[in-house]
Amino acid sequence: MTKLAMLGGTPAVPRDIRQVPWPIITEEDRKAVVTVLDGGQLVSNAENETAVRDLERRFAERTGVAHCVGVSNGTTALSLALAALGIGPGDEVIVPSLSFIASALAPLHQMAVPVFADVDPVTFNLDPADVERRITGRTRAILVVHLHGLPADMDALGDLARRHDLAILEDAAQAHGALYRGKPVGSLGDVAAFSLQVTKNLPTCGEGGLLTTDDPALAEKVRMGRQFGEVIESGRPRDYISYFLGWNSKLNPIQAAFAASQLDRFDDYARHRQDNVTRFLDRLRELPGIAVPGAPEHATHAWHILRFRFDPAALGLPEVAPTALRDALRRVLRAEGVPMSQYQLVPLPEQKVFTDRIGFGSGYPWAAAEGTAGPDERFPVARAIIDDSLTLQKRHLHPDSGPLLQRYADAFEKVWQHRDVLAAVAGRAS
Ligand SMILES: *Cc1c(COP(=O)(O)O)cnc(C)c1O
């Protein structure tokens, strides 16, 4: 048995292969950026601007929707979508209790109340049965996150939305390119928000976002919303009239051009990622006590984040608490060169912004929808997932990460041979 790196052995992952860049920046990407700089159309409402429009057209086409609108980031995309859906004070929006914070802040920014629902223990996405329990007379929309790149249960959620007359906003920030029953995410609800933030699967050189929808009226509202509530039409002079409360949330043409250049290689990268991740997960699946992420038959996974749940009893360590095992695994695997980390330290409803309910002051927006689910609600599945899982982020996005992921698998196999040490490390920590 080889010695654990934590005890002075050689790490399973050699140091010189650990750093894998993301995003990959090529000569084409540089050229795309310089072309915009030299073209002089540096804001998207300029008359002859083309970079944002080209990206919007291409992304709409590949998503299979009629409209795409470029905006400044994914968080803004969520807010603009809710505004376009007419969601405001007194309304409730159901959001998952496990997601990135932006998913739950967006309703608040509209002065609507985020009502949290628990998630599924295997897919980490909204549990439709729990969503149904949280629907009230004030519920207007379900904000569906395709967490880590796996499409949510859209059959059941779509059915709920139809029966209760709710809008569906997809948060597809982690799931570009994923399919559900052969249809791309971003085409599965009323409107969808994507992020182009630099760590996402379709990155720009900084921040950016895209909205997709088939509904021309929603698309027009979002276009107005990103530009102060004005109507911007090509060939018509800007009249500077705000028709409703808008923002300045336009996508910058440089970021659009960079993202469009990345889009040229997106499918190729996604194919390599699929291969690399599959071969990695196939090896981990052989080890006892790890629940490895996967996709049901009718969906594909974009593999934005890889989340693993660990079961102490199945690992032969029934006396070890899940959080203690998680922390021990993080330490021991990190020593081997596997950068395991937590993604979300608490369920979203336990974040201070929601427990303290400061919001806009005077108790708003909660005061506008009194009697809603309180901050003391429990979300046992989200809590259990956070307690017993760790994630891998970013490095596996690179199309050449195959060999690195194989070394990660070596590290897991090695650590699994030293379960006595794991138990000791976990015992010391608890
Ligand atoms: C990244 C992310 C967002 C926010 O996107 P930004 O472009 O960073 O504002 C929203 N939701 C989820 C699930 C995300 O991962």
Side-chain angles (χ1 to χ4, degrees), residues 156-236:
L157 294 167
D159 181 55
L160 275 181
R162 269 187 301 280
R163 283 195 282 119
H164 295 272
D165 195 22
L166 309 175
I168 288 195
L169 163 56
E170 297 175 75
D171 178 344
Q174 301 190 357
H176 318 70
L179 302 175
Y180 183 84
R181 300 203 185 283
K183 288 183 68 185
V185 301
S187 71
L188 306 169
D190 296 281
V191 56
F194 289 86
S195 170
L196 302 174
Q197 199 264 349
V198 68
T199 63
K200 309 285 171 153
N201 287 25
L202 177 61
T204 186
C205 48
E207 311 256 357
L210 297 169
L211 279 113
T212 53
T213 181
D214 256 334
D215 182 335
L218 279 180
E220 179 57 16
K221 278 191 202 148
V222 171
R223 282 183 196 287
M224 292 170 72
R226 74 175 171 180
Q227 172 71 15
F228 310 109
E230 298 174 37
V231 177
I232 300 287
E233 256 170 14
S234 93
R236 197 179 67 106

